[in-house]
Amino acid sequence: LSGCGSGWRPLSRCAPRAQDTPQPPPERDLDMVELVWDSGQAATAKTASGASLTIGDPSGYSPTDLVALGAAADLMQAFLSASAAAGVPILGYMANATFQASHDERPPRLRVRSFVVGSGEVSERELEALADEAARTSQVTRLLGDRCEAEWDVRALHGA
């Protein structure tokens, strides 16, 4: 799926307008992670579900890698949830994220590029609407607000 960049186009910023911002249900528990750092400047991260991950040396995962991964994964999960709810078959998908550091007073930025192939049963316009919905509902990209830009390349594969 790489190399299909000719169709990239920004559909929306990750930050929705205030009136479009859905409110989380009040009974939802907060997600929690715990970090335990060692003397080698590495941390073991544990989630509430018990999953663990090493951050820093020697793992190779930096905190900025994890922000980029989290935003790309959450945005794609929001897209896949929206497409499943709409009954739209998705044949393939991938995403990448670029963390753009800033060394002055400007805040860092994140660009998430997603590529989605849907069945020919659905139009590219419908896939784009699902992408906009994902940008409005993804918790991580909403948290990042206008510091996050989502770009989508959506294709409908006719005859599939």
Side-chain angles (χ1 to χ4, degrees):
L1 294 176
S2 63
C4 296
S6 62
W8 293 112
R9 58 193 173 280
L11 292 178
S12 64
R13 294 273 183 204
C14 294
R17 295 183 310 256
Q19 67 269 22
D20 294 337
T21 304
Q23 298 301 312
E27 68 276 357
R28 180 161 190 248
D29 291 334
L30 298 175
D31 292 331
M32 190 266 317
V33 296
E34 177 182 79
L35 294 165
V36 178
W37 293 88
D38 65 24
S39 61
Q41 297 184 357
T44 299
K46 293 199 179 202
T47 67
S49 67
S52 66
L53 173 70
T54 302
I55 301 168
D57 293 333
S59 74
Y61 287 112
S62 71
T64 54
D65 291 336
L66 297 175
V67 169
L69 286 168
D74 194 57
L75 186 61
M76 189 57 74
Q77 283 184 330
F79 178 86
L80 294 172
S81 293
S83 64
V88 173
I90 302 300
L91 303 175
Y93 50 91
M94 65 167 280
N96 69 48
T98 305
F99 189 90
Q100 299 166 337
S102 175
H103 302 288
D104 56 25
E105 69 279 351
R106 293 175 297 154
R109 301 192 52 78
L110 186 68
R111 173 178 287 158
V112 179
R113 299 177 89 186
S114 302
F115 179 74
V116 177
V117 178
S119 159
E121 301 169 14
V122 64
S123 71
E124 289 178 359
R125 184 169 294 190
E126 290 170 288
L127 292 171
E128 290 170 351
L130 291 170
D132 282 339
E133 180 179 342
R136 285 190 308 272
T137 59
S138 164
Q139 295 293 310
V140 175
T141 57
R142 286 179 48 222
L143 174 68
L144 294 170
D146 64 358
R147 294 180 183 166
C148 178
E149 183 178 348
E151 295 180 353
W152 295 85
D153 186 356
V154 296
R155 308 285 171 102
L157 186 60
H158 299 283

